[in-house]
Amino acid sequence: MELSFMVKPEEAGASPSLYSLAHLTLIGCTPPELVYIAARAGYDAVSPRFIPMHVPGEFTQSPIDKAQVQATKTALSTTGLKVLDVELARITEDVDPRSFEPSLEIGGELGAKRMIMSAWTNTRDDRDFLIDVYSETCELAAPYGLTVDLEFPSFSRLRTLDEALDIVRASDQPNGGILVDTLYLHLSRVDLGELLHVPSELFHFLHISDCLPGIADTREGMIQLARDARLYPGEGWIDFTGIIERMPPVDYSIELPNQSRVAELGYEEHARRCLSHAKRTFGEARSQRRMPDSAILKYQEDNHGQRAH
């Protein structure tokens, strides 16, 4: 018999959502610097980049250098912050998934739970290749306790929620996942109702940023917006409440690069405003999805026990 009620996350014993500072927000910082800034700005976690993309302004030190890794561990121990996810594993034509393993290992050592992946091949007929690479990466990540969350940047090979979901479903990996970025939902014209078609267990966290109405009509325009001109939540028009209501309870990673804001405010104040705007804008928004059956059964059992006493 289908249950018609929903269980609030707190009633089902779910932990409060973590707020994490994504590395792209402060791409000039090394991972340990990111940790200290995030702690001072009030975050719960960080999302460091251990596989560089070599975008403009990106830090130049090797994040997997032994000294850098030790400095990151020291920063985490000193501040008490967690690592939510690590990034960014890219699928390219010549990629060898085994090249991701050093970063997966470090992520596991630091207690991360997620690895972000996206696809950057230049053809539209390589579905089988994407499935193979994604599947192998999931298999490599599993021993380290990491899910592999496939993202769909609007200027990448996988541009829509449906395209990313197709790869994850076809791969059928127990640690597969989908990463939704609120900006890419907008740029890819994804109807929020489509979020309800994705199984809850595939959603683990959400990338947060805002933007003004209108969609860039060129790939270059979208890249410039995504890498340099995102807005604080509440400054634009993205419906965060509508998104959160259609997803299960997840953690939040604020990915909000904006060079002019960093130049004006500095790293720490920019990070702090990202967080304060997010918390203020989300308000009391909560998931309206039904909890997984296991959570519902636990809720029923707990309440039955309470009534019995």
Side-chain angles (χ1 to χ4, degrees):
M1 181 176 68
E2 181 174 333
L3 299 172
S4 60
F5 64 86
M6 291 179 289
V7 180
K8 294 180 181 179
E10 57 271 25
E11 291 174 337
S15 301
S17 295
L18 297 177
Y19 283 87
S20 181
L21 179 59
H23 211 149
L24 188 61
T25 305
L26 302 179
I27 197 59
C29 293
T30 62
E33 289 171 339
L34 185 75
V35 174
Y36 289 120
I37 291 171
R40 293 195 298 268
Y43 288 80
D44 307 301
V46 290
S47 301
R49 178 166 291 190
F50 288 124
I51 305 176
M53 284 185 63
H54 308 293
V55 297
E58 190 173 52
F59 61 94
T60 56
Q61 299 90 333
S62 171
I64 60 174
D65 174 80
K66 286 185 178 180
Q68 279 290 310
V69 173
Q70 184 55 52
T72 303
K73 290 180 177 179
T74 299
L76 292 168
S77 176
T78 301
T79 62
L81 262 62
K82 298 179 180 180
V83 176
L84 175 61
D85 62 281
V86 295
E87 56 178 66
L88 172 65
R90 293 185 295 167
I91 304 177
T92 57
E93 286 86 352
D94 58 351
V95 69
D96 180 354
R98 290 173 297 182
S99 67
F100 304 140
E101 194 146 20
S103 299
L104 291 168
E105 182 177 0
I106 293 171
E109 287 180 10
L110 299 180
K113 300 300 182 185
R114 325 286 177 206
M115 163 70 87
I116 301 175
M117 174 168 262
S118 53
W120 300 90
T121 53
N122 295 314
T123 181
R124 301 293 296 173
D125 60 357
D126 60 351
R127 178 176 180 269
D128 289 346
F129 174 73
L130 299 182
I131 293 169
D132 288 345
V133 174
Y134 180 75
S135 296
E136 185 175 349
T137 305
C138 286
E139 291 167 0
L140 290 168
Y144 301 107
L146 295 165
T147 63
V148 181
D149 294 76
L150 191 60
E151 192 177 20
F152 51 97
S154 308
F155 40 89
S156 69
R157 164 64 176 84
L158 301 172
R159 303 171 187 169
T160 67
L161 177 60
D162 282 344
E163 288 183 340
L165 182 58
D166 171 58
I167 301 301
V168 173
R169 277 181 161 159
S171 300
D172 194 26
Q173 295 291 323
N175 58 334
I178 296 284
L179 173 58
V180 169
D181 185 306
T182 58
L183 177 65
Y184 298 141
L185 280 181
H186 164 66
L187 292 179
S188 295
R189 297 179 170 86
V190 174
D191 187 289
L192 297 190
E194 293 182 33
L195 295 170
L196 296 171
H197 301 157
V198 181
S200 293
E201 61 268 20
L202 294 181
F203 285 138
H204 303 123
F205 65 115
L206 181 68
H207 265 177
I208 299 294
S209 67
D210 210 342
C211 66
L212 294 174
I215 296 176
D217 58 3
T218 66
R219 185 175 187 272
E220 293 72 20
M222 288 190 285
I223 291 174
Q224 193 277 331
L225 170 60
R227 294 182 180 170
D228 182 37
R230 303 192 193 202
L231 300 180
Y232 299 137
E235 288 188 313
W237 80 301
I238 289 178
D239 181 7
F240 293 102
T241 296
I243 293 169
I244 292 169
E245 287 178 346
R246 289 164 176 81
M247 295 185 67
V250 294
D251 294 316
Y252 306 130
S253 181
I254 301 179
E255 184 173 85
L256 207 155
N258 187 307
Q259 289 187 18
S260 63
R261 294 281 171 82
V262 169
E264 175 190 357
L265 302 170
Y267 283 156
E268 186 174 330
E269 183 59 26
H270 175 56
R272 183 176 288 110
R273 293 193 187 192
C274 287
L275 181 61
S276 63
H277 276 77
K279 289 186 173 181
R280 183 167 62 247
T281 301
F282 297 174
E284 295 301 314
R286 296 290 183 272
S287 171
Q288 297 300 307
R289 281 193 177 214
R290 286 178 44 192
M291 296 296 290
D293 290 345
S294 58
I296 293 174
L297 290 174
K298 182 178 184 302
Y299 172 77
Q300 290 179 312
E301 291 169 357
D302 291 347
N303 278 268
H304 177 75
Q306 292 170 2
R307 288 195 297 271
H309 290 84

